[in-house]
Amino acid sequence: MVKHENFKTCDQSGFCKRNRLYADNAEVSSWTSPYELDPRTITFKNGELSGIILKSIEKRSEKVRLPITISFLESGTARVTVDEEKRQKGDIVLRHDSKARKERYNEAGAWALVGGLAPSAGAALSGEAKQGTTSVKYGPAGTFEAVIGHAPFRIEFKRDGVTQIQLNERGLLNMEHWRPKVDKAAAPEAKEGEALPAPAPPKDENEVDESTWWEESFGGNTDTKPRGPESIGLDISFPGYDHVYGIPEHASSLSLKTTRGGDGNYKEPYRLYNSDVFEYELDSPMTLYGAIPFMQAHRKDSTVGVFWLNAAETWVDIVKSKTAANKLSLGIAGTSSTQTHWISESGLIDVFVFLGPTPKDVVHSYGELTGYTQLPQEFAIAHHQCRWNYVTDEDVIDVNKKFNKHNIPMDVLWLDIEYTEYKKYFTWDPLTFDDPENMHKQVAKSGRKMVTIIDPHIKIADGYHVVEELKKKQFGVKNKDGDIYEGHCWPGQSHWVDAFNPLTINWWKGLFQYANFKGTGPNTFIWNDMNEPSVFNGPETTMPKDNLHHGNWEHRDVHNLNGMTFHNATYQALLSRSKAEEKSPRRPFVLTRAFYSGSQRSSAMWTGDNLAEWPALAASIPMVLNQGISGYPFAGADVGGFFGNPSKELLTRWYQAGAFYPFFRAHAHIDTRRREPYLAGDPYMGIITDALRLRYALLPTWYTAFHEASVTGAPIVRPNFYVHPEDEAGFAIDDQMYLADTGLLTKPVVTEGAESVDIYLGDDKVYYDYFDYSIYKGKGSHTIKAPLDKITLLMQEGHIFPRRDRQRRSSALMKFDPYTLVVVLGPDGKGQGELYIDDGESFDYESGAYIHRKFIFENGILRSEDIGKKGKLTGQYVKKMDAVRVERVIVVGGPGEWKGKSKVKVSREGKEVKNVEMKFVEGKSGKGSEVVVRDPNCKIGEGWSISFV
Amino acid sequence: MKVAHVVVIAIGAASHVIASSESPRPRGVGPEFGKHYKSAQSFKCINRPEIEIGKSQVNDDYCDCPDGSDEPGTAACAHLNNTLLALPGYYCKNKGHAPSYVPVSYVNDGACDHDLCCDGSDEWAGVGDKCSDRCAEIGKAWRKQNEQRQKALTNAAKRRKELLVDAERRKKEVEDRIKTLKTEVTGAEVKVEALEKEFADIERREKAKVVKAPKEGGKIGVLVSLAKGRTQELRSSLERVKAERDDAQTRLKELEDMLTQFHTDYNPNFNDEGVKRAVKAWEDYAARDKTPVQDVVNRDLTEILKDDGENGLDWAEFEGEHKESDIDVLYKFEEYLPASLRDWVDAKLRDLRIILIENGILPDPATAGGEESKAVVDARSALDAARNTLSSRNSDITNHEADLTKDYGPDGIFRALKDQCISADSGEYEYELCWMGNTAQKSKKGHGNTSLGTFTRFDTMVVDEDVPADGRGLGSGERIVMHYENGQHCWNGPARSSVIVMACAEKDEIWKVVEAEKCTYRYEVGTAAVCTDNGKNGAAAQKKDEL
């Protein structure tokens, strides 16, 4: 059970409470937002509009000046940034002689953004603007428009003349400007009030509650808040949109729920404040380990989105309204709208607006800004076996052997914290891991890797070189007084690495050198846990907000970025572990628990410490899907469940689901019984092995999907609304997953004792059962028999996907195996798909060392086309893969007239023609037919065609 | 058919086969399957002979047979489920060493698996690193080790015989002891019988004696007697209550010590509200003004518990003040009779009195608070001593007989090892195994000893482990195991337990200890006690014994 008392509710988080109250006050019809854009200040240059927003304060004639810029980017994205002039200029006084910076935090972009900021050349002020507004046309062919209202300040974003997104439409914009603390008792009259609506309500009734302005205590910790209240709030509305998705990480449904109470709804806003939540609860807006403040709204045939670039504690309220259509206007349905309210404790208002119109467009635009997912090494997308803990190096070697003995494929063995000596990272416990080199060597014999954990807390211990250097070089996070911060975590009293400091990163890189981290080798990779950061004695199990990071930014300002800076540093460290590797690096693999927008560039994530219970398995599906559409698709949940002992049935079902997590790792708590697949006994071991083998057979398809994600930002597993954006009935479906663009659709069994599952089809195409070709057709729900040994997996017509059927011990040992192509046809006899291959480990693909083919089936001919771009190393790589061929083509759903055919014609590079055997098996009783082409022997790196006519 | 991971064929036979037949067997086919591949034109899938394919389709790197038999030398059928396969794997000739089978999925995967296929022939296509033929070197080393292993196994068999002899001797000792005890019991029984008779006689004699009359008399006497009894009762219950109190105090102290330790050791910073609440509650408790058990109270108690005499209460003083008892009247009655008649009456009365006493009509002076005569006391104590001896001999017999029926493993061989202990280092602990006794874990980091259980029973277990070159490994097959249970309780978990899996070895030795799961330990142990006569593992043999 999660300990609710350890985590704040909105009511216990001063700024959240204040902004919610602000929103409640704004509900009254007399409400006018006190923010006005001074039209005299507006300038427009290079796709950027700037000006000053003036905030009126009750009983004061002086107005607070808030500089605003609205950037229109070449990508069609718009960015709205609001700052506070006084603080920009450093014209404020901090309390408690604080050393903290005076500006509002303005470096989130430096960490999160990597591109897509080129200004739009075509954006221009529109002459058609109404009185009191400024209008800018931008985007593809000028079809986007931002209409900026001056008083009160507000923006409407339109696409093709239709309003999609509104900022400050409800008047909830709130930037708590800096003010000096005034002693109430001494001069109650001089008190400067919070902005209030005019006319101001009677004073005694609505006395401003300052109790959360200057100091806040929680769980025995007091936040000194040297800058006083400084929160920001803004309402963002999506008129006509009934569904919003995104803002991970929450254990909630994919389609976000409303948060202001009511039956079946949440009472608390969705919270984003990276936290180590012990035994987190399901179906909750509570915060978890990571934060991506990116939300998309979806309605039939339109998707739009916003990205709230702020790293402070953030809460998002969601309400929906159904505006019933005029009862007299028959036939016109009422429109649904979603209204959101974003609240952050400090920092800038910095919002990116994406106008779609497809989910793919929105996710792509977000990826342009924050980067696409890294192309991982191939082993990283295979099966990982973890446990807290394999207790000795011999234990590891033994587990490794047992996988081989039972012919269960596995790529990576993991070591949790117990491998270290007294939890001192970069050391090995000499009593239990006395020969880590040999351990790595034994594991490598089967092509396998190891992942060891390195956390950001550094044990305070005499003679421990890491902590001594950290202290000497001042690379640790500091407390509010500027002294190195000390807290409690696994090793006991510890300091925390401050990876915001570039010099810290340099030092961190050195620690991972093979020469320094003895016992590691080229097949060692890293797991960064506890980087929220988790601090056992801190408020909400993390750091005090008035701690100071590099550049004297308060922890308050950067909290949600902290985890990312740490795994980024580790990523960089893995690029340079030896002189040789510095010259020709291999792709790092880092798993992180905490994350932020941009984490996808250098890490994989998992959903943290889940429970070995059926509902946790069910909850993992929407969580993984949500990661996918939020730009961070390399995601998975602990297979088997972390806490507790899963039944064998649950374990088996979890492997079957896990085989479709982009990140596929089994993990278990130290107090649980061992549960490696080979221990499961009959029939479970065999069924689990089948699920693993399915993952391995489909690795070429997975790798191709990861490649697509790495160049377009597309999710790897996709929810129904993404694949069928027109299918209104399926917008809330979040318990089934499409694997990229392959037409493969799985609906994992997540309930005990299930004999069947209902799978939802979002269109009227033909779907075949992956294993027996049973046909399912017709939009809507279909029941599929699903006894324990059955993975519910369908193939949608119109696709071609590659497999490698030969089962090996690990993915590394499959590198030169031949391919099987599966062609799935419907009545139109058409299909297409892709294959991307490279060496699976180096960066040579950046110089063209890859093969990228498109397979097209039409008019009875299957052909392979090159869709790669030639580079320096292309020829060399294709040559290296010369012996790798297509050994088999399977066509499912081929036409009946092929019956009796026994030969197909194979041409290579358009020349040589030869006949190759094929076998047609008619589909009986509701099943699709199957054709197997026997060894067409086409080179995978060459063009070829196979004619069935 | 279940395909073994690697099948090593007896070395002598195999080298003979290779030498004699350079057959045109396809790559990867072992001699025992050669017959299926004789035809030059076609091939029939071994388990599915109705499927016939062209000979050119054998080893053409495309899987045609559903049992994989057409691709013995490639990995083309590596997608098939193991249970379907007709062949045990890819056959490595391993010239210079023992031939072996490796799974076909290892063929041309780019990894040299010399420990399984020393001639490197599984990597014939040269997909990855070149795999050289290392059979000469590996075979030589293997033979050398094998020689040692064989020697060790011979020695192990020898040692087992010694253990058996020793166990037999110990068993004999027990049997002999039982015999001796039985003789002693017979003697003791005779003696008890004699003493019982003697005691009865003496007692009867004494009863008949005119003894000093019992001291009871009158109402005061009754009251005194009751008071005395009551006091005695109160004293003994006070004694019991005090013992209970002392026990409770000890336990409280133990708990308080534990909590004090917990209070200093717990991680004050871990945000566990449960722990924090417990600590706070303890602090409050500890700070509370407790009324310590005062020495004065204790001293008082000790005083109270002293004999009444020492407390200045002389019951005899009060008991002495009595009226004539009924019996006294009886005796006095005689005084009024003539002498001649008196003797007659006297004798009659004596008999009558005995009858009355024996029938419970008159109180027995011996038990009615009167002092027993020395003769009776002596006789009683002699009888008690004899009875004690008898019962102790009997319980010795019971114990020894139980020991004889106790399971000491196959042929009772573990009798020879009983009370011996062996230990081994593993990680941060030293693990101890006392045969038929306890298992324990001793921390090198100074956390003290932890019991991992006490022997409960023998069992068998099927294992499948590699045997390292030095022979210190369980190997494959059924092995004898011992269960040790009810060790120290784990925090939040079960009692620790350990299972001792044994394989035949010359020396009694712990090879490996793993904490497979929290609080469950597995010892892999070598001992000659589980060998068969020819130095093999004897679990199956034990099973037969059980039948």
Side-chain angles (χ1 to χ4, degrees), chain B residues 64 137 143 161 239 362 406 427 446 454 463 508 520-521 530:
Chain B
D64 292 295
E137 161 205 350
R143 280 188 295 276
K161 277 192 190 130
E239 217 150 9
L362 277 180
K406 183 174 174 177
T454 305
V463 296
D508 296 336
T520 308
Y521 298 81
V530 296

Side-chain angles (χ1 to χ4, degrees), chain A residues 428-503:
Chain A
W428 296 90
D429 186 331
L431 294 174
T432 48
F433 286 84
D434 66 329
D435 196 352
E437 259 160 74
N438 178 52
M439 172 183 71
H440 278 92
K441 223 171 77 193
Q442 295 301 322
V443 168
K445 273 188 177 178
S446 300
R448 295 185 177 133
K449 327 289 178 205
M450 300 226 46
V451 170
T452 61
I453 198 167
I454 298 280
D455 288 350
H457 47 257
I458 302 297
K459 183 181 177 72
I460 300 174
D462 287 340
Y464 175 31
H465 68 286
V466 180
V467 81
E468 283 174 356
E469 287 170 33
L470 179 89
K471 270 172 22 194
K472 203 173 84 201
K473 297 177 176 167
Q474 307 211 351
F475 288 159
V477 180
K478 300 184 176 74
N479 63 22
K480 63 178 176 4
D481 304 318
D483 303 320
I484 191 163
Y485 171 69
E486 195 176 321
H488 207 282
C489 205
W490 296 124
Q493 287 305 110
S494 307
H495 297 311
W496 267 260
V497 173
D498 183 16
F500 284 89
N501 183 347
L503 294 175

Side-chain angles (χ1 to χ4, degrees), chain B residues 203-446:
Chain B
E203 205 183 23
R204 188 179 165 83
R205 222 162 39 228
E206 289 296 308
K207 273 180 193 154
K209 274 189 189 158
V210 178
V211 291
K212 198 176 155 210
K215 290 167 186 171
E216 270 143 56
K219 277 188 180 161
I220 296 280
V222 171
L223 181 63
V224 166
S225 153
L226 284 174
K228 188 182 175 189
R230 179 100 179 109
T231 312
Q232 192 56 47
E233 200 179 311
L234 286 170
R235 188 191 291 117
S236 60
S237 53
L238 182 59
E239 217 150 9
R240 203 184 63 239
V241 169
K242 180 172 181 281
E244 282 170 0
R245 187 208 64 175
D246 289 344
D247 186 39
Q249 262 171 6
T250 319
R251 290 168 64 97
L252 180 66
K253 173 109 176 36
E254 205 178 320
L255 280 170
E256 285 183 349
D257 287 349
M258 254 160 67
L259 281 167
T260 310
Q261 187 67 22
F262 170 66
H263 185 248
T264 39
D265 286 355
Y266 89 105
N267 171 355
N269 302 315
F270 192 81
N271 252 339
D272 188 324
E273 283 305 322
V275 173
K276 282 183 169 175
R277 268 194 294 274
V279 168
K280 180 75 182 38
W282 161 249
E283 283 167 352
D284 292 343
Y285 168 86
R288 219 181 294 149
D289 190 20
K290 276 178 288 177
T291 41
V293 181
Q294 284 150 9
D295 286 346
V296 186
V297 176
N298 262 340
R299 224 176 306 129
D300 286 350
L301 266 179
T302 320
E303 280 309 309
I304 291 165
L305 284 171
K306 277 183 183 162
D307 278 349
D308 293 333
E310 286 176 66
N311 275 315
L313 178 59
D314 185 5
W315 291 106
E317 216 177 299
F318 301 97
E319 284 163 338
E321 250 188 39
H322 61 272
K323 286 191 188 162
E324 290 168 313
S325 83
D326 308 340
I327 297 167
D328 289 339
V329 173
L330 203 63
Y331 291 141
K332 285 190 179 156
F333 164 77
E334 296 166 40
E335 288 169 16
Y336 304 95
L337 295 171
S340 55
L341 196 57
R342 199 188 302 165
D343 284 347
W344 178 84
V345 170
D346 193 49
K348 288 294 170 206
L349 270 178
R350 199 181 291 250
D351 288 346
L352 174 65
R353 181 168 174 256
I354 287 169
I355 290 164
L356 290 174
I357 289 171
E358 281 180 350
N359 288 301
I361 296 163
L362 277 180
D364 181 348
T367 56
E371 299 282 320
E372 270 190 342
S373 75
K374 189 170 179 309
V376 174
V377 171
D378 287 351
R380 185 193 305 281
S381 70
L383 175 59
D384 285 348
R387 277 179 177 158
N388 283 344
T389 309
L390 177 61
S391 94
S392 124
R393 293 295 179 276
N394 271 328
S395 89
D396 280 358
I397 289 174
T398 316
N399 288 342
H400 284 299
E401 278 175 344
D403 183 65
L404 277 185
T405 53
K406 183 174 174 177
D407 188 0
Y408 276 98
D411 302 326
I413 194 163
F414 283 94
R415 195 178 286 282
L417 293 173
K418 193 186 169 193
D419 301 332
Q420 292 180 36
C421 300
I422 52 178
S423 65
D425 275 5
S426 178
E428 56 173 298
Y429 300 104
E430 184 189 343
Y431 288 91
E432 189 179 59
L433 161 65
C434 294
W435 300 105
M436 311 296 294
N438 300 301
T439 44
Q441 182 189 54
K442 302 177 178 180
S443 170
K444 289 182 203 162
K445 290 181 180 168

Side-chain angles (χ1 to χ4, degrees), chain A residues 488 536 674 808-809 934, chain B residues 60 64 105 107 109 269 516:
Chain A
H488 207 282
F536 293 161
R674 294 239 174 173
R808 306 287 197 178
R809 283 165 282 180
R934 186 192 189 279
Chain B
D60 69 342
D64 292 295
S105 64
V107 176
D109 64 357
N269 302 315

